[in-house]
Each structure stands twice: as structure tokens, then as C-alpha cells.
Amino acid sequence: MKQGRPLFRSYLKVHFMFIFFPPIVLIILSAFVGVTVNEVNLDTLNQFYATLFLFGFIIVAFVLISWRFFLKLRRRLTSLQEAMALSAEHNPFPQPVPVQSNRMDEIDQLGSSFNWMIQQLEDSRTREREEELLRHRLIAGLSHDLRTPLTILRGHVIRLNKESVSSDGQSSLAEMDLTITRVGELMDDLFSYTLLTSGKQPFVPASTDIGRLVRASVAAWYPIFEEQDIQIDADIPAEDTFYWEADPKWLARVLDNLFQNIIRHAAEGKYISITVDVEKERVIVGDRGPGMDNSSYGHGAGIGLSAVSYMLAKMRLKAEFTTDETGTSVTIGRA
């Protein structure tokens, strides 16, 4: 960084000269005035008034120069502080501050360091976006490429099921088929989460009738719950409701994800409860499964729950999870 002249050293030099130079000049002039006093008929009183005027001028000038200096200093510091605190609407970083390279005092050096920091943050943000885009492309390609070998494996499992295999072999084939299904579901969740976080599925908030949306979601999932012999306990008021400023499609996907996790990991509990609490403006989804501490639920639902958390955060909502060996409850409310 270019080293300029120090601001406060210049200030001290100017004021030192302004304080000590005039008295020295006054002493020198007094010596000459003393020689010519008789010629110009200056008495002692006039010399006193002249000296008093000169010192008064020095004090007033000192105050004015100091006031101008600190006012300019305050203006520059305030401008720098506003630039550091204010960020543009579509830019997460503040704008660079103007710096005079021909001056480069302490404040200009601070502004130059601030601009360098902004540049480093912007470069880091650009690299992060490029890496995130590359990661999204890699995940999307990987999810797509793995579908073919999984389909082939499932085909071989189906073929082996038609052969005469021992009971242990049948059990192993059933476990293989279940594992292939789980891997396929995980890839679907991963692909969906990648599309979501990469902005491929736009967020369009609107005033949403929560009671109506939850009722429609439960109606859509009702045949699946009935097929799995899952008892449905729905408490959704028919008249009362409340509204959230949220994306209806995203909120429906959140409920779909929660219902899907119950089917995948808590179906053995044979129970699901859906409650719309109008008074507290929240939605509660519960089950009687083994709880999230169970390996199947805890590991298998991770990607889906990450997508749920991401969508809720974008809609300024949050999900609170309560889980134990008797079941899991998810409460969705305002953040």
C-alpha cells in the first residue's frame, strides 16, 4: 500500500507554526519598531494594543482552522462509516469508498484497506458460487447416472425371485430390493434439493389460506395413508383459518415431504395426526413411529428435512421437532 503523508502530523506542524511563528515575528518586529518609535511617534499603549490584536488574531485563527480541520475530518469519517454500514439492495457487500491516491493519509489508507476487503469478499463469493454451481451439476449428473445401474440391479432381483431360491436367499433378495428402493428415494430427494437450492424452482410468495392448503394436502395423501392402513387424526377447522405470506407450492411440498417421511420411516406406527392451530397460527404433524433417533428415520430423512428447513427459512417460517421412542411431532410456525 502506498505510504502517504500522515494527517495528524501535518495538522500538528501547521498549528505549531501558527502558534510559534507569529510571536517570533512579533518579537523581531518589536525590535525594529523600537528603533523607529520616535520617528512615528508610537507610544507604549499603541504597542500594547497592536500586540493584543495580534494575539487575538492568532487565537481566533487557531480556533477557525481547528474547527475546519475537525469538521472535514468528521465528514470524511462519517462518509466512510455510512459506506461500511450501507449495502445495496441487490448486493450483499457495501460499495467501495472513494480514495485520493495523491493524498493517502490515514483515512485514505483506511478506505483503501476497506476497498481491498470488499474486493476479497466479492472474489470469495464468486468462487463460492462457481463451486456451488459445479457441485449442483455434479449431483444432478450423478443422480441421473445412478438410475440406470439401479434399474439393472432391480431387474436382476426380479429375475432371481422367479428362480428357486432358499428362504434365506428370498430374504436377502427382499432386503436388496428394499435397499435399491431406499437408494432411489434418496437420489430423488438429493436431486430435488439440488434443484431447490440452485434456484431452478422459483420462490413466489403470496397470501396463503393455511387451513385450505393443509386440507387439500391431506385429501391428496388420504388414499396412500389408507393403503398403508395408517389411521388419520385430522383436526382442521372448517370455518376458521389464518394466512401466511408463503409460496403455496413450496408449502405443499413441505407437507408432502413430511407425509412421505412418515410413510417411509414411521409407517409401523399406523398413525398420523395433522392439526391446524388457528389461535397460535401453526401446523402440527405427528406420528407414532420409532422416532428420529432410529437409524432408518435419522439417516434416511436427512436430505428431505434439509429441503424442508430450506423452504421454510425462505418463507420466514420454522419447524420444531419433538421426537422420542413413542413418535415424532413437527410444529410449523412463524420464525
Side-chain angles (χ1 to χ4, degrees):
M1 182 183 297
K2 180 181 178 181
Q3 183 66 31
R5 60 178 184 271
L7 178 64
F8 290 99
R9 184 179 298 176
S10 301
Y11 169 79
L12 293 176
K13 284 182 179 179
V14 172
H15 283 70
F16 179 83
M17 293 177 61
F18 205 87
I19 293 174
F20 290 98
F21 182 72
I24 294 175
V25 174
L26 181 62
I27 293 174
I28 296 175
L29 291 177
S30 298
F32 287 100
V33 170
V35 175
T36 60
V37 161
N38 295 328
E39 298 179 3
V40 296
N41 297 321
L42 292 177
D43 56 11
T44 306
L45 184 60
N46 290 335
Q47 291 182 5
F48 171 76
Y49 282 138
T51 304
L52 184 63
F53 174 78
L54 181 59
F55 276 104
F57 172 77
I58 293 173
I59 293 174
V60 172
F62 177 81
V63 172
L64 290 177
I65 292 177
S66 299
W67 177 80
R68 183 177 180 276
F69 172 81
F70 285 107
L71 180 63
K72 185 177 180 181
L73 180 64
R74 179 182 179 276
R75 188 178 299 135
R76 293 175 62 190
L77 291 175
T78 301
S79 176
L80 184 61
Q81 187 270 336
E82 290 176 352
M84 291 181 176
L86 182 63
S87 60
E89 182 178 358
H90 300 292
N91 190 353
F93 304 117
Q95 295 297 320
V97 297
V99 175
Q100 296 186 13
S101 58
N102 59 339
R103 180 176 56 193
M104 288 305 291
D105 53 27
E106 287 89 341
I107 297 179
D108 286 316
Q109 292 177 19
L110 178 60
S112 180
S113 299
F114 176 69
N115 293 341
W116 178 83
M117 180 189 67
I118 293 176
Q119 185 63 43
Q120 294 296 314
L121 290 174
E122 289 179 345
D123 292 343
S124 176
R125 183 66 176 269
T126 301
R127 290 193 300 269
E128 181 182 353
R129 287 177 177 175
E130 292 176 351
E131 292 173 357
E132 184 177 1
L133 180 60
L134 180 61
R135 183 168 59 252
H136 287 163
R137 290 177 178 175
L138 178 63
I139 292 175
L142 184 63
S143 299
H144 181 269
D145 293 339
L146 286 177
R147 295 180 187 276
T148 300
L150 285 178
T151 303
I152 295 173
L153 285 175
R154 187 181 296 276
H156 285 291
V157 169
I158 294 174
R159 181 179 299 176
L160 288 173
N161 278 326
K162 297 178 181 179
E163 302 292 334
S164 58
V165 184
S166 64
S167 59
D168 291 339
Q170 290 290 343
S171 178
S172 297
L173 289 175
E175 186 63 30
M176 289 174 60
D177 186 65
L178 180 61
T179 302
I180 292 172
T181 301
R182 288 178 177 175
V183 172
E185 292 172 347
L186 287 174
M187 286 196 307
D188 290 339
D189 289 343
L190 184 59
F191 184 70
S192 177
Y193 180 74
T194 302
L195 291 178
L196 190 67
T197 55
S198 61
K200 296 298 179 63
Q201 297 178 354
F203 172 58
V204 185
S207 181
T208 305
D209 186 334
I210 303 303
R212 182 178 180 182
L213 186 142
V214 174
R215 194 178 300 109
S217 295
V218 173
W221 279 83
Y222 186 85
I224 301 176
F225 293 142
E226 193 175 44
E227 182 182 353
Q228 297 287 331
D229 294 328
I230 296 178
Q231 177 187 348
I232 304 173
D233 184 6
D235 183 8
I236 307 174
E239 302 294 335
D240 297 332
T241 188
F242 61 93
Y243 292 82
W244 281 341
E245 192 69 19
D247 189 324
K249 293 182 179 179
W250 280 32
L251 199 53
R253 286 193 60 188
V254 168
L255 294 175
D256 290 345
N257 198 300
L258 295 178
F259 295 158
Q260 188 178 58
N261 280 335
I262 292 177
I263 295 295
R264 291 179 182 177
H265 310 287
E268 61 190 77
K270 301 298 181 180
Y271 176 83
I272 180 173
S273 65
I274 303 101
T275 304
V276 176
D277 190 339
V278 177
E279 182 179 353
K280 296 183 179 180
E281 294 190 357
R282 61 182 186 177
V283 178
I284 305 171
V285 178
D287 62 62
R288 293 177 182 173
M292 296 182 66
D293 294 334
N294 179 274
S295 58
S296 173
Y297 199 110
H299 298 145
I303 300 175
L305 294 181
S306 296
V308 167
S309 299
Y310 177 84
M311 288 186 286
L312 290 177
K314 290 284 288 185
M315 294 184 288
R316 297 182 179 179
L317 302 173
K318 65 178 180 179
E320 296 181 354
F321 293 84
T322 303
T323 183
D324 54 29
E325 64 277 2
T326 62
T328 300
S329 176
V330 183
T331 303
I332 301 174
R334 296 185 185 274

